[in-house]
Amino acid sequence: MKGRLDKSALASAFTAVAARHESLRTRFRETDGEPVAVVGPPAPVAVRRLTARGEEEARALVTALTNTAFDLTAAAPFLVALIELGADDHVLCVVVHHIISDGWSLNVLRAEVAAHYGSRGTASLPEPPLQYGEHARERHWTDADLHWWTGHLAGVPALDLPADRPRPAQRSAAGAALDFRIGPERAAAVAGLARRARCTPYMVLFTAYQVLLARHTGQDDFCVGTPSAGRNRVELESMIGFLSTTLPVRCDVSGDPTFTELLRRTRRAVLDALSRQDVPFERLVAELGVRRDLSRTPVFQTMFALHTHGEDPDPLPGLSAVPFPNGWSPARHDLSVDMAEHPDGSLGGTMIYSTELFDHETVAGFAERFQELLAAAVADPDLPVSALRMAPDAELAAMDAWNATGAELPEATLVDLVLAQAAATPGAVAAVCGRDTLTYAELTGRAAELAARLTAAGAGRGSLVAIRMERGADMLVALLGTAMSGAAYLPVDPDYPEARTSYMIEDSAAALVLTSLDDLPPAPAGSAAADPARPGDTAYVLYTSGSTGRPKGVVVPHRALVNFLLAMRSLVGSTPHDVWLGLTSLSFDISALELFLPLVTGGRVVIADAAAARDGEELARLVREAGVTHVQATPSGWQVLLAGDLPRVTALTGGEPLPVRLARELRPRVDRLLNVYGPTETTIWSTAWEVPADPGGIVIGRPIANTTVHVVDGTGRTVPVGVPGELLIGGAGVATGYLGRPALTAERFVPGPDGTRRYRTGDRVRLLRDGTLEFLGRTDNQVKLRGHRIEPGEIEAAMDACPGVRQSVAAVRGDLLVAYVVPDPAGTGSTAGPAGEAGSAGEAAGGEEDAYRDLPDRVRERLARELPGYLVPGVVTVVDALPLTPNGKIDRSALPEPAAAPRAHVAPRGDAEELVAEVFAEVLGLDAVGALDDFFALGGHSLTATRVVARIRALAEVEVPIRTLFARSTVSGLAAAVEELLVAEIAALSEEEAARLMENGEPS
């Protein structure tokens, strides 16, 4: 405020207003666990006088004032401070607790203070028709209103906004604010649409906000809180008190409606809520029986408000004033949006967000997209909400730049590349397996001879040769010989069951099956492969598991394979001096990298035989003795490899998610570590990420050469940066399709722009601000349990970080979340069993069994501290090893049954548990409560929780914070907390106090 300020008149004005309104003189005390309002007599209001050397110092003072907690029992929560910047320059800071005031009340307070100040105490204001206490004692709602709310909100899911960090087990109010502005022209367009739709600008803005939330979460059903003044009677308009209510508006964005239709739904939902606004929100939560979750607010996790009362430009007569930042931004919800009309016709907005979840840049993106959505909606409200433009130009340009992966791709086949290398270095060693060694000349010569025999047997372009051979040099000859004949190869693992092998050969209509190089008779003299393959011809067909249970063959052309090999050559830097380990089963497509990349770059492949491939120590010995420089394996495979004394190599890992813990263990032991990702349908690996020396989170990187990645929603439209969606992959690596499955090919391989094709991976990812992709899991692995969306990968990452855990898997069995953990020998003193064999660790003998015994409890205890309750498995089963598929991935279908069912009723054990159980039973009106029973599961809520805390205080003379009950809500958990608090209190006593306590106490 600038101008000549009468400080005495200002203090008198506040005193006069406080005398008129009992709420400004009300403090609160507790009686038998119930809050009681105590109204004090009229008294002078003390105005705190402070000074500041400048605006920055004044901001700091205001922030301190607005963020200091009130002691509600000591005095009325009403504070007035005057900060002097100069003789005619002041900041007036008024802080009122929400328990006695709301936004409307501040306007009443401002107007009455101005009237008293301007008249110097002679203003004749009408007496308040009703005091706040009188209004609060009345019941203003009916049981019918309450029943409508409970029916309307039954089963509403929580809103899961994409966050930058995992949700903590217990949220705090840590928050920050971001301001944005909607210009007068767009604000006028909002008002115009509102008039045409016979609604208010608030409803237009609120509808746009719903679209923003739906497009960021993929949800079409959620709640948004919105405030209502709660002053639906004339006598309430001049009252100072907490009359405002928060209405949980259930949003229905189902069916991809037009914006106009969604606006109609919003109007109806808001009016329905307003007509029943007097039902207290806390009573509603209790009636709904919402399971308490300390990680988020109940019913709704975001709020939206449009404030139309505005700011008085001259709050005190004779002074000019402008708003001063209040420095108060605690996050009461994950995200809140407050908007207000400005005198120039613009709309100001503030997004208050939880800093536990979001970075500033993420929220800035929310604000930018909200404005883009709003502009698109008012420009064409008849568009479906999924079609409304949301991404700003800069964001779209960044996505295009990240997909600018174009590189030269020669018109060549795998055979062309290998023959060119053989011509350049015919005498160099190409392959080694045991004592067998092949030079490039020997390899290509034997392959050409086999190609001639295959041609004579009827194989050639357009045909398929099944290769069912043991690992070795002959297998490599068979692969290259098949390609040189013009045919494509079909890898068949010799260990596959006969039924699966028969199905693959029959389904693929393979012309020939090779089990050894001796299967075919010699070719006629002078014969050779007559018609070599073209770049567009099939290089191989690889069968992958199908969702229907029937494997499906993926057809990969030479052009896609060549692009992959050349891209990996550039990415890895593969040279003639490099030696690759041929470790992976031929039926796993990643084997093509190990076998073919060294052959097209002049290097060498060392093929591990079947026995060595399953023995970590033997593999490490092979790597050392053969001078291997490059090793590729799944994360599960690396667990096996690390068991041996592995020399430093360039390491690649992919095929399943890379746990952070494994990355941190593996990275220091290798020269380079690349985390690679890709489905068979886009030719082995499509993205890659160089793992740094000290990885924090894990990503799958950016696309390789001539590859594009697109994250889309359920309608196939691109989602913004940071928003989860399905990954579509385009570019030169996209396979031809599924063999003999045109309908499935059309479903999964979808058209892209300019005649391109993209493969729908079914993987959930999100694009981060640096252009890398974060893998979130499978769209078909994500499960819902008791209304919560659960991503097993989030739980597994937390378990992998637990001391004593080597590997973990989370799964749902019926309606129970379960987990399986493999003990870490370093953490438990035990030894894991052979890889690929799952069994209870309880089968281990003697001391090992004892070492495992408490691991499940320790895992659950740690997860309870780090994750929301619904993400903590009910049963944790210890196994010697996780079962693996032949391709080295975790076989979830082979996991054993959980070790135990949820615990049954257990009687209270000990004095503390008996005390807590009795209190629970008394407060909740129950006959008996067990040691493992949960207060909130038994029907408790925040109001009854205060009674529990009060009863424990009365019986045990210990102060239990109410948040402790929320965090440790079982009888046993709260009893342990009570004991800890008692021990802490006794430890804090002086010797004299302890002696006096012993004298007055009873003998034990």
Side-chain angles (χ1 to χ4, degrees), residues 7 17 28 36 110 123 128 223 264 276 346 365 383 414 418 439 465 513 561 612 638 863 907 956 1003:
K7 299 181 179 67
V17 175
F28 298 85
V36 177
R110 186 186 299 117
C223 264
R264 281 194 288 267
R276 301 166 177 87
S346 66
L383 278 177
L414 170 66
V418 175
T439 65
V465 175
V513 178
L561 179 58
W638 278 109
L863 295 188

Side-chain angles (χ1 to χ4, degrees), residues 438-452:
L438 291 175
T439 65
Y440 276 87
E442 291 168 339
L443 172 62
T444 55
R446 291 182 62 187
E449 190 269 335
L450 175 62

